[in-house]
Structures are given as C-alpha cells and as structure tokens.
Amino acid sequence: MKKDLLAILDLTKEDILAILNRAGELKADLRAGRCHLTLKGKTMAMIFKKPSTRTRVSFQTGMFQMGGLALDLNMDSLQIGRGEPLPDTARVFSRYVDIILIRTFAQEEAEALARFAGIPVINGLTDLFHPCQVLSDLFTIKEHLKKIGGVKIAYVGDGNNVAHSWINAAGVMDLDLRLACPEGFEPDKGILDRAIDLAIKSGGRIKTFKDPKDAAFGADIIYTDVWVSMGQEEGVEGKKRFFQGFQVNSGLLEKADPHVKVMHCLPAHRGEEITEEVLDGPHSIVFDQAENRLHVQKAIIEAFINKNEGKKGCQRD
Ligand code: CP
Ligand code: NVA
C-alpha cells in the first residue's frame, strides 16, 4: 500500500477489499459494544480549509473509539493561515503526530503536504477527489446489495470531486458505472480516460449518458451530489439552470431496478438535486451511508498508521 491516500487510485482492489472487510468487523464490534484500542497513543492532525460535518465528526470519533486522539485544526488556528508554508507545516506535524487528514481546495496542496510529510496523509476532500466518501459508499453498497462486482450505479448530477472518485473506483473495482452530467459540467476527461483504460483490466464498465433516464435504466443504485460544491458558489443561480432535468426524483426512480437504492454523500439540497420525497423515502440509504463513514474511516486510519508502525505513538497504561 502507498504511504498516502490522496485518491482511490492509490489503492489496489485488494487494499480496498481489505479496508471494507476490516470496516465490517469494526462495525459489528461497535454494535456489540466492543471497541478495540488499536490506535492507543496515536494522534491524527485534521486540517480543514472547508467546512465539514460528517468527515470531521466521523474521523474524530473514530480516533477516540480506537484509543487515539484527533486534533481538529481550522486554518484560523494554524500559522498556515498567516502564511507559514505548507511544507514546513508538513515537516513539523511529522515530528508530533502519526497521520494527517486534509480537506482543502487544490488536490496539488494535498499532494504537496504528502510529499513533505514523513507520515501518511489522507485526503478528506479536495476540489478533485473525495476518496474516503466513495470507499465508505462501496461498503454501504456491499452491506445492502451483498456484492460490489457488477453493481449498476447511475451517478446523476455534477461531474465533481465525488463523481471523479466514483470514476476512479470503477477503474479499480468491477463496477458498472453510468454517469449523466449536464453539458459543461462533465467529469474531467483525463480522469475518465484513465479509468476507462484501467477498467478494461479490472472488468469495470464506465459509460457516460446525456439523459439521466438512460443512465438510470435498470440501475441498482442512483447516486447524486449537490449541483454547487464548496468553493464554487460564484454564479450559482446561473449554474443551476443547466441542471434542470438532472434531479433525482420519483420519475427517475421508475426507470431503475424496482429495488433501487438511492445514495447521496450529503449535505443535500432538497428540491434541487434530489426531492424530499426521494431523500426521505423507502429507497434512500443516505443515513446508513453517512454512518458508514465512521466504520470505514476507522479501517482506513488503522491501515495507513499500521503501515508506518513504529514511527511514533506511545503506549499509555
Ligand atoms: N459527505 C461529506 O463529506 O460531508 P461533510 O462535508 O459534512 O464532511
Ligand atoms: N461535492 C461536494 C461534496 C460535499 C461532501 C462538495 O465538494 O461540496
């Protein structure tokens, strides 16, 4: 396994399956009231340059449940906010903590942090990718459908960071990914082309559609995300115009498999990318999805810290 998790493509299919299996054990144990202090004495620094509810609380809670400590660091509380270079912060953090989580704008910033840090860096969302989200979503799909291979996933909406991580996942796993994004809001072509190449080997399928109904036809999963991501608020009303017809609603669900599950990474804008009726309806698994961030991320932290075992950390009695 690589040192850092900056994108799904940093993981092999075997890495992903191992993380999902471990997440399953951790979830079952937690449900049974058992916590394993596998990260006793370990510390995670969490740098947030954008807001977060799920990522922040699930990582912090996960570290606590495993006996470690998570430091929730906003930009305003760090010298980076006053201009201290990121490489210096990376080197300093590497002397104190065992792992870094970063949520920021440019993917290059997360990559630079990883380059200068001697410890693992986990991408907690950039403008380009959201790998922890999609790893958790794979777990949720496995939990509900009892399989991942061949699952037909229709992604409807903005070709954004979450869509890019889905595309990467379909390059590594044997998913049947169908994307419908409005013209001008398609996913990055380079990311798409690379994943399509990889999918030839993995047995995955990635196809783009102009009409969401075609993408949703017979789908096991319909997935959507906000039309306007964090940091893209400028000209938002103008942007929304292009998304009419790309809403996940009961009409779209009729095209899918009768047992279709609806997923959304949240936060959602009811009445925009998804109707209230669907988000809160019987097909929706969005809150299971949100819960699973906790279990999967615990498995991610364990896997990446253990790989760097012996670096730091102390055993507390
Ligand atoms: N889905 C997700 O990453 O949520 P937050 O922005 O609340 O962390
Ligand atoms: N695409 C969304 C995901 C939020 C979890 C954003 O970047 O704002």
Side-chain angles (χ1 to χ4, degrees), residues 42-310:
K42 306 285 183 184
T43 308
M44 167 179 255
M46 306 193 300
I47 306 173
F48 285 100
K49 284 199 177 184
K50 290 179 177 178
S52 169
T53 296
R54 281 144 288 270
T55 307
R56 169 179 273 124
V57 177
S58 54
F59 267 108
Q60 195 161 12
T61 305
M63 277 304 280
F64 174 75
Q65 289 178 355
M66 294 191 290
L69 171 75
L71 305 169
D72 184 357
L73 307 165
N74 279 310
M75 291 312 292
D76 297 348
S77 65
L78 291 171
Q79 295 287 12
I80 313 174
R82 292 181 57 246
E84 182 169 16
L86 201 65
D88 287 356
T89 307
R91 285 183 283 226
V92 171
F93 275 12
S94 303
R95 302 290 178 110
Y96 301 145
V97 306
D98 302 280
I99 190 163
I100 303 172
L101 173 79
I102 183 161
R103 168 169 288 197
T104 189
F105 295 86
Q107 176 74 8
E108 293 74 23
E109 203 174 335
E111 286 168 1
L113 187 71
R115 223 172 20 256
F116 287 96
I119 53 176
V121 172
I122 309 293
N123 178 353
L125 180 147
T126 61
D127 291 345
L128 204 61
F129 295 124
H130 197 0
C132 296
Q133 178 68 56
V134 170
L135 288 171
S136 305
D137 296 342
L138 287 170
F139 179 84
T140 305
I141 290 174
K142 191 169 170 225
E143 195 172 50
H144 278 271
L145 273 56
K146 311 292 174 227
K147 61 172 188 173
I148 295 177
V151 170
K152 209 181 220 189
I153 302 164
Y155 179 96
V156 176
D158 192 21
N160 61 16
N161 42 11
V162 173
H164 289 156
S165 287
W166 270 114
I167 292 166
N168 280 349
V172 184
M173 312 294 283
D174 49 342
L175 306 173
D176 182 356
L177 179 65
R178 307 152 70 81
L179 300 129
C181 307
E183 209 174 325
F185 300 93
E186 296 98 344
D188 179 86
K189 192 173 175 316
I191 292 173
L192 201 53
D193 288 347
R194 184 169 178 210
I196 289 171
D197 274 355
L198 290 169
I200 293 169
K201 282 182 231 121
S202 72
R205 286 171 56 174
I206 306 170
K207 201 160 182 270
T208 56
F209 295 82
K210 288 207 181 311
D211 187 340
K213 293 194 187 70
D214 293 334
F217 185 77
D220 301 303
I221 302 286
I222 295 183
Y223 197 109
T224 192
D225 184 16
V226 289
W227 290 341
V228 180
S229 285
M230 290 180 279
Q232 299 175 356
E233 290 81 5
E234 211 174 302
V236 46
E237 288 314 315
K239 183 177 178 185
K240 284 180 189 167
R241 185 158 61 81
F242 294 93
F243 285 80
Q244 302 312 314
F246 286 78
Q247 185 186 62
V248 173
N249 53 32
S250 51
L252 192 68
L253 260 59
E254 279 171 20
K255 305 289 168 204
D257 184 274
H259 302 292
V260 66
K261 305 287 180 207
V262 174
M263 300 181 76
H264 189 310
C265 58
L266 303 179
H269 290 88
R270 289 170 164 82
E272 289 191 3
E273 75 277 2
I274 189 164
T275 58
E276 178 139 38
E277 180 195 19
V278 169
L279 190 73
D280 298 328
H283 294 276
S284 172
I285 54 171
V286 299
F287 294 105
D288 286 346
Q289 195 186 343
E291 177 190 330
N292 287 332
R293 296 289 301 277
L294 171 69
H295 311 300
V296 173
Q297 287 163 188
K298 281 166 74 176
I300 291 172
I301 309 168
E302 244 191 14
F304 279 85
I305 285 191
N306 284 344
K307 214 174 62 66
N308 285 262
E309 194 57 85

